[in-house]
Amino acid sequence: MKPTRLRGNQLIRDLVKEVAISMNDIVYPLFMVEGTGIREEISSLKDQYHLSVDALEKEIPFLKEKGIKYLILFGSPNEKDAEATPAYAKDGIVQQAIRKIKSLDMGMYVITDVCLCQYKSDGHCCKFHPDGTIDLEASLELLSKVALSHAEAGADMVAPSDMMDGRIGNMRETLDENGFGHVPIMSYSAKYASNYYGPFREAANSAPAFGDRRAYQMDYANREEAMREMELDVMEGADILMVKPAMPYLDILRTGKDTFNLPMAAYQVSGEYAMLRLAVDQGIVDEKAILESLIAIKRSGADIIITYFAKEIVRLLEVYN
Ligand code: PBG
């Protein structure tokens, strides 16, 4: 068989095409801040905005018009403390944002990022013992409290991004005991200690005040370790497994997809977005490279892609398909 026989014209190419993306695959991150009337471009993330809760009244219809159906919410409160109290406060910004989006009734599916780093004064995703080691018990208790507060506010799904051992099981139990057995958990299972999170940490104001996250995020040299992380999350009851970042970790995604019978998500993170955005805006690569990146992520096994490019996908698909 001659492979080129199936490439002669667009019709035959479309007929044998293996992978396509649609807005049913795409999740868009939103960054919530305190205050009113705020829609401020994040300096490190072009065309991404810090939003106050009231600004959602305009933003949600705008995003819906862009074809977006799935959101993941991040919060960046003004005041942070040692106990991460703004993370689980009933009137915290994420909790308020969930209620606002639901009250707008535009059919948006709301996922929340569950972590402590944006809410804790030291910018870490966990609590520590006085000797500097991770206080797992206290961390898990706090994280589950955050997830429960999101579910109580009406979140459709929670997504823990902290990487503490045992968090999925603990969270599942807390949700189930409190009447939220129907709320799925999308676990950031294979989250690498990556250099590609830089712009996000500025967006969420969550750079660690001391040290780094290598005590709990994964070494980017490791692949088998990712499989162990995913396996634990599966056993503890995760509904969806995530690999993060996306483009430099397509091998992890593919192995995860082939190994576990669960939907896979991939997070095309802030640094990946910033690089590609810059290259496209400067005319160094064609904007079709954005679609190529998303197709590559899906082809590698992702059922779900979290991406800052979400607002442009419908237009790109119309122009290039
Ligand atoms: C919080 C969190 C981070 C990202 C998502 N959730 C940052 C980090 O771990 O430092 C990164 C997202 C991005 O870079 O777009 N734990």
Side-chain angles (χ1 to χ4, degrees):
M1 179 252 181
K2 290 184 170 140
T4 50
R5 243 199 304 264
L6 298 180
R7 296 177 200 148
N9 61 40
Q10 194 59 47
L11 284 170
I12 184 69
R13 286 194 291 271
D14 284 345
L15 187 64
V16 299
K17 196 188 285 294
E18 296 174 40
V19 173
I21 50 167
S22 85
M23 293 309 284
N24 290 340
D25 308 320
I26 303 296
V27 180
Y28 182 55
L30 282 185
F31 294 99
M32 303 310 306
V33 294
E34 286 169 21
T36 52
I38 297 172
R39 186 181 193 266
E40 264 171 23
E41 188 169 27
I42 299 165
S43 54
S44 58
L45 278 172
K46 199 177 164 198
D47 198 31
Q48 309 300 323
Y49 300 85
H50 279 138
L51 296 167
S52 55
V53 171
D54 62 320
L56 290 168
E57 286 170 21
K58 272 197 193 154
E59 194 72 9
I60 296 298
F62 169 73
L63 297 176
K64 193 179 163 78
E65 206 175 288
K66 300 280 179 198
I68 292 167
K69 302 184 198 174
Y70 302 93
L71 299 170
I72 183 162
L73 303 185
F74 294 91
S76 181
N78 295 338
E79 301 293 327
K80 303 163 190 263
D81 63 29
E83 297 299 317
T85 35
Y88 54 83
K90 235 193 164 75
D91 60 349
I93 35 179
V94 168
Q95 290 79 355
Q96 284 186 50
I98 299 165
R99 288 194 292 265
K100 172 64 91 181
I101 296 168
K102 288 296 169 185
S103 77
L104 294 171
D105 203 18
M106 300 199 78
M108 287 282 175
Y109 190 90
V110 180
I111 306 167
T112 57
D113 180 86
V114 176
C115 203
L116 306 179
C117 55
Q118 294 113 272
Y119 308 89
K120 236 167 126 271
S121 17
D122 65 10
H124 277 284
C125 309
C126 58
K127 291 198 76 174
F128 294 101
H129 290 298
D131 68 357
T133 57
I134 294 174
D135 185 345
L136 203 52
E137 205 178 317
S139 304
L140 294 185
E141 194 186 319
L142 263 180
L143 288 159
S144 289
K145 216 162 149 175
V146 177
L148 179 59
S149 77
H150 291 172
E152 283 171 344
D156 294 298
M157 183 189 286
V158 292
S161 66
D162 52 281
M163 290 295 279
M164 294 302 123
D165 293 335
R167 72 209 200 277
I168 302 301
N170 194 293
M171 210 165 275
R172 186 69 273 161
E173 205 176 296
T174 303
L175 290 172
D176 290 352
E177 280 169 1
N178 288 278
F180 295 101
H182 58 284
V183 173
I185 300 179
M186 173 163 70
S187 175
Y188 287 67
S189 302
K191 179 173 177 178
Y192 284 87
S194 171
N195 296 295
Y196 290 94
Y197 303 149
F200 172 94
R201 288 181 185 170
E202 189 181 327
N205 189 16
S206 68
F210 58 87
D212 53 39
R213 302 206 205 290
R214 284 183 298 175
Y216 40 98
Q217 298 183 352
M218 289 178 31
D219 183 339
Y220 48 75
N222 295 349
R223 181 163 153 277
E224 289 176 0
E225 188 187 2
M227 296 307 120
R228 293 197 291 275
E229 287 279 5
M230 288 192 214
E231 195 178 354
L232 282 175
D233 286 353
V234 172
M235 289 187 321
E236 290 179 29
D239 299 283
I240 299 172
L241 305 176
M242 195 198 299
V243 173
K244 177 184 166 194
M247 282 149 67
Y249 298 91
L250 298 182
D251 57 328
I252 311 297
L253 206 50
R254 171 47 63 196
T255 315
K257 182 69 187 171
D258 290 344
T259 309
F260 306 104
N261 299 316
L262 283 182
M264 297 291 297
Y267 198 141
Q268 187 179 48
V269 301
S270 55
E272 298 179 76
Y273 170 77
M275 284 194 309
L276 199 45
R277 172 91 281 159
L278 194 69
V280 168
D281 291 353
Q282 298 206 350
I284 296 166
V285 299
D286 192 90
E287 67 174 356
K288 209 175 168 187
I290 296 169
L291 278 183
E292 184 179 342
S293 74
L294 300 172
I295 295 276
I297 293 166
K298 185 158 180 193
R299 193 197 60 232
S300 304
D303 301 284
I304 300 164
I305 305 172
I306 303 173
T307 177
Y308 301 99
F309 286 115
K311 290 185 283 188
E312 290 159 76
I313 295 172
V314 168
R315 179 185 65 82
L316 291 170
L317 288 173
E318 271 167 19
V319 176
Y320 297 108
N321 263 13

